[in-house]
Amino acid sequence: MSNDSALPTVVIGGGSGFVGQALAAQLSRRFRVIGLSRSEKKPDAHVSEWRKADLFNLREAEEGLHGAKYAVYLVHSMLPSARLTQGTFEDLDLICADNFARAAKRAGVEQIVFLGGLLPERRDLSPHLASRLEVEETLGRYGVPVTVLRAGLVIGGGGSSFEMLTRLVRRLPVMIVPKWTLTKTQPVGVDDVVALLSFVVGHEPTFGETYDVGARERIDYRTLMAMCAELLGLSRPMVSVPLFTPGLSRLWVSLVTGAPKALVAPLVESLRHEMLARDHRIFELAGREPTPLREAMSRALAEESGTPRAYSAPTKKGETRPSLVRSVQRMRLPAPHDATWAAEEYVRWLPRALRGLVRVEAGKGRDVTFFLVLFRIPLLVLTYAPERSTPDRQLFFVTGGALSRADYPGRFELRQVLDGRTLLTAIHDFAPRLPWLLYVATQAQFHAWVMAAFRVHVARA
C-alpha cells in the first residue's frame, strides 16, 4: 500500500472478489487503490481505503467514487441482496450499473473499466449474457469512456464458476455429461485477466474500446473437466446423457456443488452458447502471450484453499438487522414520457385501479399518503426527495404508515435506463411491519400484482 497521496486514484467496485483482490495488488504499484464493499473492511497491503457502499444506493455509489480518476466495475448481482427479492438478476444488475455510471459522471471519472462476458455470434443471447451486454451499454450511458474486456470462464482459485467445475470433478466418481458439455469455449487464466485489466486502466488508446479475452486453445467443457480430473490425479469415467435438459442440469449442478440455484441457473443457461474470443488484439497491445490452459488450471488448483465458499455474507455476532425487501420491475416507457411522468401517473392511476380499497392524498410537493377507504390510518407515506430526483429518476422515501417500520425507511424509485424507453420501478431496503410470513403471503404478493398491473397501464399510455 502506497502512502503517496499524489498517485492517481482508482476505485474498484467488487474489489473484494477474487479478481478484484488480485487486481488491487497489480494496480497498487501505480495507483492509490480504493475498494468498494458492502461490509466494513480495513485497509490492507494493496488497498489504501475500503469504502462501504451498497451500489443499489446512488448516494453511497457517489460517496464511493468521490475523488476517483479511474473506476473498475467487477460487480454481479446474481445472488439475492435482501431476505426477499422480487425481480430478475438482470434488473438488479441494471440498477447497480446505472448507479455506478451516474456516480462516475458526477465524480469526473475519466475511464470505467468493465469485465464482461464473451458474446457468441448468434444474437438470441441467454439472460446471463444479455445482462452482461446491458451492463456494458449502461456503464457508457452518461458519457464516461468505457473499456470493456469480455471473458468466458476465468480459471483461478476463488472464482465461482471454476469452483463449481472443480467441485463436480471432486465429488462425482462418475461424471454425467449432458449435451451442453460438448459446447466449445475459450477460458482464460485469472493472471491474464488481471494483467490485461491493469494494462488498460488509464491507458488512453483503449478508452471506448472492447476486447475479447481468451486463451489460445478452444476446448469443450467435457475436455476441460477431464483435464481438471487428470491434474487432480482422479479417475473420472464420463457417461453421456444427451437428453439431460438445462433444467435438470441446473438442479444437478446445484445439488452436487452446493451453489445456490440463483447462481447456477444463469450460468448453465449460458452454456448452450459457444463463447469464443474473436481475436487476441488486447494481448498483442499488452505484449503478453496467453497462458496455456493446463498451466492456468494447474496454478488455480494449487491456489485453492479447500475452504468451501460462503455464498451469503455471515451475520456478525450481536448484529440486529430487520428483514428487508427489494422489489424491481421492468416496463416499457412510451415516448416522449420520462420518469417524472411515470411517478405522477402512478399516483393518479393507483386510486383508480384500487377503487373502493385505497385512496391517495397528496401532500406538499409530491408527497403522497395511502389510506384504506373509510379509515384515517395511513398505510404508507411516501416522502418525495426533490434534491435527489431528476427527470429520468424520481426518488421517494417510505417514511411512515401502518405497513412499514418508520425507524428503517425504505426507498421507492422510478428510473429510466438503457435507451431511456426502459423504466425500472424499485423498492429498496423496505422493512415491513407485518410479521414476516404474513407479509410474504399478503403485502408482498399484493405489491407484485399492483406493479404488474401498472406495467400494463404504462404500455397502453
Side-chain angles (χ1 to χ4, degrees):
M1 179 178 66
S2 172
N3 293 318
D4 187 356
S5 58
L7 288 174
T9 297
V10 58
V11 171
I12 305 177
S16 57
F18 90 110
V19 174
Q21 292 181 57
L23 180 60
Q26 286 268 350
L27 292 178
S28 62
R29 302 168 186 171
R30 299 185 290 133
F31 301 98
R32 176 174 181 263
V33 178
I34 294 175
L36 303 185
S37 174
R38 297 189 68 185
S39 58
E40 300 281 356
K41 294 175 72 72
K42 294 181 179 179
D44 54 47
H46 306 297
V47 181
S48 299
E49 179 186 354
W50 284 97
R51 293 177 178 171
K52 189 173 182 295
D54 177 2
L55 292 183
F56 287 105
N57 187 316
L58 178 57
R59 186 188 295 276
E60 292 189 17
E62 291 171 347
E63 293 170 351
L65 284 167
H66 178 71
K69 186 170 186 178
Y70 309 110
V72 181
Y73 192 77
L74 304 173
V75 178
H76 218 334
S77 302
M78 287 193 289
L79 293 177
S81 56
R83 185 175 180 184
L84 175 65
T85 300
Q86 294 176 326
T88 66
F89 73 87
E90 301 101 297
D91 296 342
L92 300 176
D93 265 341
L94 263 184
I95 288 180
C96 290
D98 192 61
N99 280 340
F100 196 86
R102 289 173 186 259
K105 175 67 173 178
R106 179 163 185 171
V109 168
E110 296 180 13
Q111 178 200 27
I112 296 173
V113 174
F114 171 57
L115 179 61
L118 285 175
L119 299 179
E121 295 290 345
R122 55 193 293 183
R123 304 311 294 175
D124 57 329
L125 299 178
S126 69
H128 175 241
L129 295 180
S131 174
R132 297 284 79 192
L133 185 57
E134 285 187 339
V135 169
E136 280 186 26
E137 296 169 357
T138 299
L139 290 174
R141 184 166 183 249
Y142 301 97
V144 178
V146 180
T147 303
V148 180
L149 268 59
R150 293 175 176 166
L153 172 64
V154 178
I155 297 179
S160 56
S161 298
F162 180 70
E163 188 172 87
M164 281 190 277
L165 183 142
T166 58
R167 284 190 187 186
L168 286 173
V169 173
R170 291 178 189 275
R171 297 179 181 184
L172 291 174
V174 176
M175 300 289 295
I176 300 173
V177 286
K179 184 177 180 180
W180 55 258
T181 60
L182 298 177
T183 304
K184 292 288 186 182
T185 186
Q186 208 162 350
V188 62
V190 66
D191 290 346
D192 290 339
V193 170
V194 169
L196 296 175
L197 286 170
S198 177
F199 170 74
V200 300
V201 172
H203 189 53
E204 289 193 26
T206 68
F207 287 17
E209 297 291 332
T210 299
Y211 304 97
D212 286 357
V213 177
R216 294 288 182 189
E217 303 99 315
R218 296 186 172 191
I219 191 172
D220 60 53
Y221 290 96
R222 178 174 178 150
T223 306
L224 196 64
M225 288 189 289
M227 182 188 296
C228 181
E230 180 188 343
L231 290 171
L232 289 170
L234 300 173
S235 174
R236 291 294 183 258
M238 297 193 179
V239 179
S240 298
V241 185
L243 298 180
F244 216 66
T245 65
L248 287 174
S249 295
R250 291 192 292 267
L251 178 62
W252 165 63
V253 173
S254 184
L255 286 174
V256 174
T257 65
K261 292 179 183 178
L263 177 63
V264 171
L267 297 177
V268 169
E269 179 66 19
S270 296
L271 297 180
R272 61 188 171 90
H273 295 303
E274 286 195 340
M275 298 176 66
L276 304 173
R278 291 170 175 80
D279 57 52
H280 287 81
R281 285 187 305 136
I282 187 60
F283 281 99
E284 294 162 6
L285 286 172
R288 184 180 180 91
E289 179 63 24
T291 305
L293 284 180
R294 180 176 293 273
E295 181 182 338
M297 184 173 287
S298 181
R299 289 181 194 170
L301 292 173
E303 292 168 0
E304 280 191 327
S305 65
T307 304
R309 168 181 292 268
Y311 286 101
S312 58
T315 302
K316 295 179 181 178
K317 187 175 180 180
E319 181 181 36
T320 58
R321 181 178 174 88
S323 295
L324 300 179
V325 177
R326 192 178 315 283
S327 181
V328 183
Q329 294 78 33
R330 181 188 299 218
M331 56 194 73
R332 195 67 183 165
L333 183 64
H337 300 307
D338 59 12
T340 301
W341 172 87
E344 295 171 346
E345 186 65 15
Y346 178 73
V347 174
R348 288 191 295 264
W349 166 83
L350 192 59
R352 300 198 303 269
L354 303 179
R355 188 175 296 110
L357 291 175
V358 173
R359 61 189 177 85
V360 178
E361 290 186 4
K364 63 179 181 178
R366 291 179 183 162
D367 296 355
V368 290
T369 304
F370 300 91
F371 298 89
L372 275 177
V373 170
L374 304 180
F375 292 90
R376 289 296 304 169
I377 300 176
L379 296 177
L380 288 174
V381 179
L382 300 183
T383 301
Y384 182 59
E387 73 286 351
R388 300 294 301 164
S389 297
T390 56
D392 64 349
R393 177 179 177 265
Q394 295 287 290
L395 178 65
F396 299 80
F397 289 100
V398 184
T399 54
L403 297 179
S404 70
R405 285 182 50 169
D407 62 330
Y408 211 94
R411 308 185 307 281
F412 174 59
E413 66 170 359
L414 305 93
R415 71 166 73 201
Q416 294 167 259
V417 293
L418 297 173
D419 60 356
R421 302 274 57 85
T422 299
L423 180 74
L424 295 180
T425 62
I427 288 178
H428 301 287
D429 298 335
F430 177 74
R433 183 172 290 183
L434 291 176
W436 183 253
L437 292 180
L438 180 60
Y439 167 80
V440 171
T442 58
Q443 187 180 345
Q445 302 302 317
F446 184 71
H447 172 74
W449 175 83
V450 167
M451 298 315 299
F454 184 58
R455 180 189 298 114
V456 174
H457 171 75
V458 169
R460 294 173 175 170

